[in-house]
């Protein structure tokens, strides 16, 4: 699936705790987390699931 900003993500894929290990990712703001979905990284709001940023191709 190809995600877009503004869509809601409700889980199922692993959270990224070590965001520094992936080029292009940055520290998530308070209340957000990075999630890896296929070859995309989604910056999602914890409370609402809203996707605010997408980075593709940040795999090593």
């Amino acid at each position: 699936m190809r995600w877009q900003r503004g869509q809601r993500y409700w889980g199922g894929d692993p959270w990224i705790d070590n965001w520094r290990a992936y080029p292009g990712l940055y520290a998530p703001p308070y209340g957000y987390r990075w999630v890896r979905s296929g070859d995309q990284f989604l910056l999602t709001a914890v409370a609402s699931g809203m996707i605010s940023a997408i980075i593709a191709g940040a795999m090593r």
Side-chain angles (χ1 to χ4, degrees):
M1 174 170 196
R2 284 296 185 217
W3 295 98
Q4 296 180 5
R5 286 181 66 194
Q7 288 182 310
R8 294 187 188 272
Y9 176 85
W10 292 113
D13 292 309
W15 299 359
I16 302 297
D17 290 327
N18 61 337
W19 54 268
R20 288 179 184 92
Y22 298 93
L25 297 190
Y26 49 88
Y30 180 79
Y32 287 79
R33 66 178 174 225
W34 285 107
V35 177
R36 179 178 170 184
S37 180
D39 68 345
Q40 296 179 307
F41 289 88
L42 314 173
L43 183 62
T44 61
V46 173
S48 68
M50 185 72 65
I51 298 172
S52 65
I54 300 170
I55 297 179
M59 304 302 189
R60 302 192 252 184

